[in-house]
Amino acid sequence: MKTIRQQPSAELSQTLDTLKIHQDLKTRFIGRSIYLFTELDSTNQAALYLNLHQPPTDPRTPQEGALILAESQTQGKGRLGRHWVSPPGVNLYASFILRPTIEAPQAPLLTGLAAVCVARAIEALSRLKPTIKWPNDIMIQGKKTAGILTEASIRREKVDYLILGIGINVNLDIDTLPQDIRPNATSLAQQLGHPVDRNKLIAMLCNEMETAYLEFLNEGSDPILKTLRSLTETLGKKVRVQLPHRNLVGWAEDLNTQGALIIRTIESQRETVYSGDIIHLRNEDA
Ligand code: BTN
């Protein structure tokens, strides 16, 4: 039942508010510094700009854990050059700045970490049970409710900084989306039948992010990989992977230690896919 547009409630019209977010934060550094805008071209773009245009020693340069938020985006960026539809006042558009001391090939794991945290925050607030469609789609009942776009600055094979851009369809009325993306998209409000407090959700996401990130820094990739494997609905499925110059059909077997997808092709070859678009197939599909 989509009564969301017809019956706006107090929460629906509630704006993002840094004081309210801080009330629910349990973190030391993630989300402690919030840059909140009414409108941006893209929160990732703003984060890149803040990092690029100020030297790391400048006190105005965002610290690790800084969070850029916008009520709307005019040029929200999706993966593979796509547009992320970003209407005002209903969703979350967030970019986290992290500076982990890791080698460049490990960076995609942080996308997986963010995906796990989005799923955990949604579950903690709503009892919905999101899953992850590799590499970075957060799904509920087979429909996409959130996506992640990671942009990294690499210097001499090491990560200089990472921008984890997260878009979550929270109180979005799906009927307002362009027709071509509507069938595969959902929002938390659509799933629950009532609106969700965006300030609470972003605070919970910060809390999950800090716990998982510190665990990753202290214990390495094993714990996050274990959770990522258990939440990734792609594993065990027959898939078609659209690569730039060819398609690959096979069974998604596992994730490697960098979060890449290992596919056993129908010719029984093993292939490792680092990025690309995945289509889940039925077993009888070719
Ligand atoms: C995808 O699934 O294609 C990734 C979508 C990522 C969208 C978010 S919204 C906040 C951040 N700023 C952007 O411009 N994109 C990301």
Side-chain angles (χ1 to χ4, degrees):
M1 265 296 175
K2 296 189 199 74
T3 51
I4 299 155
R5 199 170 29 180
Q6 291 81 6
Q7 297 177 356
S9 73
E11 281 113 320
L12 249 188
S13 56
Q14 182 195 55
T15 54
L16 289 172
D17 179 332
T18 52
L19 282 177
K20 287 194 177 132
I21 297 170
H22 275 116
Q23 276 167 11
D24 288 310
L25 276 189
K26 296 186 182 126
T27 61
R28 252 191 314 113
F29 61 99
I30 293 201
R32 284 287 153 196
S33 157
I34 299 177
Y35 300 68
L36 171 60
F37 298 84
T38 308
E39 182 183 280
L40 280 175
D41 51 356
S42 147
T43 55
N44 269 29
Q45 209 51 42
L48 281 169
Y49 185 86
L50 286 167
N51 272 289
L52 287 176
H53 291 267
Q54 282 159 196
T57 46
D58 189 312
R60 288 168 303 174
T61 304
Q63 299 300 303
E64 172 155 80
L67 170 60
I68 323 285
L69 284 175
E71 282 285 8
S72 69
Q73 298 183 122
T74 53
Q75 291 172 58
K77 296 191 282 185
R79 279 178 66 236
L80 308 170
R82 296 187 189 120
H83 176 65
W84 186 259
V85 180
S86 311
V90 285
N91 290 334
L92 283 175
Y93 316 114
S95 296
F96 291 93
I97 297 173
L98 296 180
R99 305 180 191 281
T101 312
I102 57 170
E103 304 290 320
Q106 271 196 302
L109 252 192
L110 272 293
T111 307
L113 181 144
V116 164
C117 293
V118 171
R120 281 179 175 163
I122 291 173
E123 181 169 356
L125 198 67
S126 68
R127 307 281 159 219
L128 292 167
K129 297 243 178 259
T131 53
I132 297 167
K133 179 168 175 250
W134 188 89
N136 64 350
D137 290 350
I138 289 79
M139 313 291 289
I140 300 175
Q141 302 286 342
K143 294 186 176 210
K144 179 163 172 171
T145 193
I148 298 161
L149 176 68
T150 302
E151 300 190 73
S153 162
I154 308 293
R155 223 178 260 175
R156 292 194 202 96
E157 303 299 311
K158 288 199 185 325
V159 169
D160 178 21
Y161 61 83
L162 278 177
I163 293 167
L164 292 175
I166 300 175
I168 309 179
N169 293 338
V170 184
N171 294 323
L172 179 74
D173 180 346
I174 295 301
D175 288 346
T176 61
L177 280 177
Q179 208 142 13
D180 54 326
I181 54 176
R182 218 179 282 169
N184 300 320
T186 191
S187 68
L188 302 184
Q190 186 190 42
Q191 291 294 322
L192 292 165
H194 61 78
V196 168
D197 184 333
R198 291 181 299 145
N199 290 310
K200 278 208 159 37
L201 182 59
I202 189 67
M204 290 176 106
L205 178 57
C206 291
N207 296 340
E208 295 292 349
M209 290 277 290
E210 186 162 302
T211 306
Y213 183 56
L214 289 176
E215 185 183 53
F216 171 76
L217 294 181
N218 294 329
E219 296 173 36
S221 53
D222 281 355
I224 196 64
L225 266 171
K226 194 168 167 226
T227 316
L228 192 54
R229 285 189 178 108
S230 72
L231 287 177
T232 301
E233 61 170 49
T234 308
L235 294 180
K237 289 216 167 99
K238 193 175 182 185
V239 294
R240 181 182 305 125
V241 190
Q242 292 170 329
L243 297 172
H245 300 295
R246 64 193 172 119
N247 279 354
L248 206 66
V249 176
W251 281 266
E253 272 195 343
D254 200 3
L255 301 176
N256 76 5
T257 51
Q258 295 163 5
L261 190 63
I262 300 171
I263 309 258
R264 184 167 50 82
T265 66
I266 41 182
E267 298 87 18
S268 275
Q269 305 285 336
R270 281 237 161 77
E271 299 242 14
T272 306
V273 179
Y274 290 91
S275 78
D277 250 357
I278 289 277
I279 296 171
H280 290 170
L281 302 172
R282 292 168 305 170
N283 279 348
E284 57 273 27
D285 291 335

